[in-house]
């Protein structure tokens, strides 16, 4: 197996860049930007140069020459993208990628040929066949926990020597080191996390965060441009493009996304129902359950297992709950004191007793509140 140190990026890694070289938003929309280390001025970008060049040809060329060139440039911005893992999220992304005119191929463990043909995607049951189509980009959309096996079983030797590998896993340090370990050094690596899914992104992606880290992108113009053209797919949809190191992503995501999913799954176990008097806050909770419960348990488990910051967040959540109970029971103590000393003053508190239900075994949901009350009164 190749050692990690032998696979250090031969080209620019974002982590080595000075902070003032972080991307200029304009560059994400350019057709063929210069190497990403140079901050660009929109007025002097390669795009505007191109436009100038096209206009200067007008005088000597037939009328539709400019539109022919524009067509050619438009076609050259289209990518051939092979999606590996064509489940819930792979299909969700494919819809938009196809709509933007890119060619999409897909391979998955299950047979999705019918769904694929409806979406305008070519489905390959055999990964060898997909790789022999030489996609410029391989987009890994497998579950976090299956990614290593899937990646190790891909016939990488059938791909073009320079292929851009992109992942969309909801954790980032794990796929980054996996890609660095397994992929040949000629392959480019872009780690991304679209921070939305089929539920939260069903009405469009405008304003939704898209996190990315150019882990290893070769210096050649064609490789930089290929990576930018891929990012452009999300920028064009209005995503908020956030360039961030994988480690930083995982720190933030454990404190936000993992907590969100955990709370959603805890609430799901309570089997919350809509009531005739829902408050706005309660509606938010019902939405949270709906948003998180539709994701697979594999996804949630991956957030926990493959983000080293998740365990600490789970412990903090436990502590927070304990401390809240302590606070409540501290007040309860006051009630009990009144009960004890109140009797002496002729007051009766005997009906006021807290109801504590027994916790169910094997991670099952709590019984509905009515059943709890029934068993308490029997
Ligand atoms: P998921 O349960 O995390 O992954 C399902 C995908 O993994 C399917 O394509 C499935 O293939 C494949 N898979 C699972 N086990 C496999 C195995 N043993 N061997 C080969 N393939 C296997 O659900 P998902 O929502 O589609 O997410 C896919 C990826 O996108 C995940 O890494 C997730 O973190 C990321 N992501 C998801 C969302 C979201 O909102 N859902 C948002 C951002 C990022 P088959 O269907 O062919 O079995």
């Amino acid at each position: 197996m190749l050692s990690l140190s032998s696979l250090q990026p031969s080209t620019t890694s974002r982590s080595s860049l000075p902070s003032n070289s972080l991307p200029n938003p304009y560059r994400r929309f350019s057709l063929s930007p210069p190497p990403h280390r140079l901050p660009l001025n929109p007025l002097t970008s390669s795009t505007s140069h191109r436009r100038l060049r096209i206009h200067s040809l007008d005088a000597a060329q037939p009328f539709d020459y400019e539109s022919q060139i524009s067509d050619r440039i438009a076609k050259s911005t289209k990518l051939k993208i092979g999606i590996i893992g064509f489940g819930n999220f792979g299909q969700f992304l494919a819809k938009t990628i196809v709509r933007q005119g890119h060619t999409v191929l897909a391979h998955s463990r299950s047979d999705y040929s019918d769904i694929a043909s409806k979406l305008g995607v070519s489905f390959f049951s055999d990964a060898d066949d997909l790789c022999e189509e030489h996609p410029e980009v391989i987009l890994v959309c497998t579950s976090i926990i299956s990614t290593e096996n899937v990646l190790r079983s891909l016939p990488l030797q059938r791909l073009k020597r320079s292929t851009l590998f992109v992942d969309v896993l909801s954790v980032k340090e794990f796929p980054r080191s996996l890609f660095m370990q397994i992929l040949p050094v000629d392959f480019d690596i872009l780690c991304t996390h679209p921070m939305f899914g089929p539920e939260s992104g069903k009405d469009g992606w405008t304003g939704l965060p898209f996190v990315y880290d150019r882990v290893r992108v070769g210096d050649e113009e064609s490789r930089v441009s290929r990576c930018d053209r891929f990012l452009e797919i999300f920028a064009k949809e209005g995503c908020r493009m956030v360039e961030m190191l994988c480690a930083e992503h995982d720190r933030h995501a454990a404190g936000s996304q993992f907590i969100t999913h955990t709370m959603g799954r805890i609430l799901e176990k309570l089997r919350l129902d809509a009531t005739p008097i829902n408050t706005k806050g309660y509606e938010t909770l019902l939405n949270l359950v709906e948003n998180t419960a539709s994701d697979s348990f594999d996804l949630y488990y991956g957030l926990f297992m493959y983000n080293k910051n998740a365990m600490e967040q789970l412990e903090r959540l436990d502590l927070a709950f304990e401390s809240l109970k302590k606070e409540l029971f501290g007040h309860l103590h006051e009630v009990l004191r009144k009960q004890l000393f109140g009797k002496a003053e002729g007051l009766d508190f005997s009906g006021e007793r807290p109801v504590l239900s027994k916790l169910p075994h094997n991670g099952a949901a709590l019984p509905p509140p009515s059943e709890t009350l029934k068993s308490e009164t029997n």
Side-chain angles (χ1 to χ4, degrees):
M1 188 189 293
L2 295 166
S3 79
L4 199 67
S5 55
S6 69
L7 286 177
Q8 285 311 302
S10 59
T11 53
T12 314
S13 150
R14 202 187 71 76
S15 51
S16 63
L17 300 178
S19 60
N20 66 0
S21 68
L22 289 177
N24 177 329
Y26 181 83
R27 191 168 57 69
R28 294 200 295 266
F29 296 95
S30 70
L31 291 170
S32 181
H36 60 275
R37 267 177 267 100
L38 302 172
L40 286 181
N41 176 342
L43 297 174
T44 58
S45 75
S46 58
T47 313
S48 55
H49 282 316
R50 257 168 218 248
R51 254 188 234 122
L52 283 178
R53 241 182 284 139
I54 292 167
H55 283 295
S56 68
L57 286 166
D58 274 354
Q61 302 298 331
F63 176 68
D64 66 344
Y65 189 77
E66 183 178 331
S67 70
Q68 281 176 18
I69 291 197
S70 309
D71 280 356
R72 221 176 300 147
I73 291 173
K75 274 193 196 119
S76 73
T77 63
K78 300 303 173 200
L79 292 163
K80 193 194 253 191
I81 300 174
I83 296 182
I84 305 295
F86 203 54
N88 195 22
F89 199 61
Q91 292 170 28
F92 169 69
L93 290 182
K95 281 177 207 153
T96 300
I97 300 175
V98 168
R99 176 167 51 70
Q100 288 192 12
H102 302 280
T103 303
V104 179
L105 325 171
H107 163 73
S108 211
R109 174 180 61 166
S110 314
D111 180 10
Y112 290 112
S113 13
D114 287 348
I115 295 175
S117 79
K118 281 182 196 133
L119 295 178
V121 170
S122 312
F123 188 79
F124 296 81
S125 312
D126 189 329
D128 288 71
D129 292 340
L130 181 142
C131 292
E132 278 170 6
E133 293 287 318
H134 293 157
E136 295 155 281
V137 180
I138 290 286
L139 180 58
V140 179
C141 296
T142 41
S143 65
I144 299 168
I145 58 176
S146 70
T147 296
E148 178 163 8
N149 282 344
V150 172
L151 197 62
R152 288 192 188 282
S153 67
L154 278 184
L156 301 177
Q157 73 286 358
R158 298 202 189 283
L159 290 164
K160 272 196 291 193
R161 197 166 316 195
S162 155
T163 301
L164 169 64
F165 261 73
V166 184
D167 84 287
V168 293
L169 271 56
S170 308
V171 293
K172 292 275 53 79
E173 275 202 280
F174 166 66
R176 180 190 191 278
S177 44
L178 199 63
F179 280 9
M180 293 285 279
Q181 262 183 59
I182 296 177
L183 298 178
V185 76
D186 300 309
F187 285 13
D188 287 344
I189 299 173
L190 173 69
C191 287
T192 80
H193 184 195
M195 311 271 319
F196 49 90
E199 194 53 42
S200 52
K202 63 174 182 255
D203 300 322
W205 302 355
T206 308
L208 301 176
F210 180 89
V211 178
Y212 64 98
D213 186 0
R214 296 170 207 261
V215 172
R216 186 173 76 195
V217 178
D219 275 335
E220 295 103 84
E221 162 89 16
S222 59
R223 293 169 78 159
V224 174
S225 146
R226 177 178 58 188
C227 181
D228 279 355
R229 281 182 287 146
F230 180 82
L231 291 171
E232 237 176 63
I233 295 171
F234 297 87
K236 252 188 194 165
E237 296 299 313
C239 288
R240 185 160 59 81
M241 307 297 284
V242 184
E243 189 161 17
M244 183 181 277
L245 295 176
C246 291
E248 200 185 340
H249 164 278
D250 283 2
R251 262 198 315 278
H252 288 304
S256 57
Q257 190 193 26
F258 177 66
I259 293 280
T260 308
H261 279 249
T262 303
M263 293 313 297
R265 285 185 182 269
I266 290 173
L267 293 170
E268 189 194 5
K269 286 188 182 293
L270 291 176
R271 296 196 196 119
L272 302 180
D273 276 329
T275 73
I277 52 167
N278 286 357
T279 59
K280 284 222 181 299
Y282 187 63
E283 295 278 352
T284 313
L285 291 190
L286 293 178
N287 284 338
L288 174 63
V289 174
E290 199 180 315
N291 271 330
T292 46
S294 54
D295 286 328
S296 70
F297 190 79
D298 277 359
L299 198 163
Y300 177 60
Y301 180 62
L303 295 181
F304 173 66
M305 273 301 284
Y306 292 83
N307 185 340
K308 66 178 184 202
N309 310 287
M311 179 57 105
E312 189 194 341
Q313 291 298 337
L314 204 58
E315 280 168 1
R316 292 187 70 238
L317 210 57
D318 240 358
L319 287 175
F321 190 43
E322 281 308 315
S323 119
L324 196 62
K325 280 197 291 188
K326 229 176 177 175
E327 210 176 322
L328 282 177
F329 295 160
H331 286 270
L332 181 67
H333 183 70
E334 284 301 305
V335 174
L336 289 174
R337 281 188 68 242
K338 274 192 194 154
Q339 200 173 338
L340 286 174
F341 300 112
K343 265 201 178 137
E345 295 159 18
L347 297 169
D348 184 11
F349 287 89
S350 56
E352 294 179 22
R353 189 167 58 85
V355 179
L356 294 179
S357 55
K358 286 181 190 118
L359 287 173
H361 298 293
N362 304 327
L366 295 176
S370 54
E371 281 179 29
T372 315
L373 287 178
K374 251 187 266 158
S375 64
E376 287 291 332
T377 48
N378 287 342

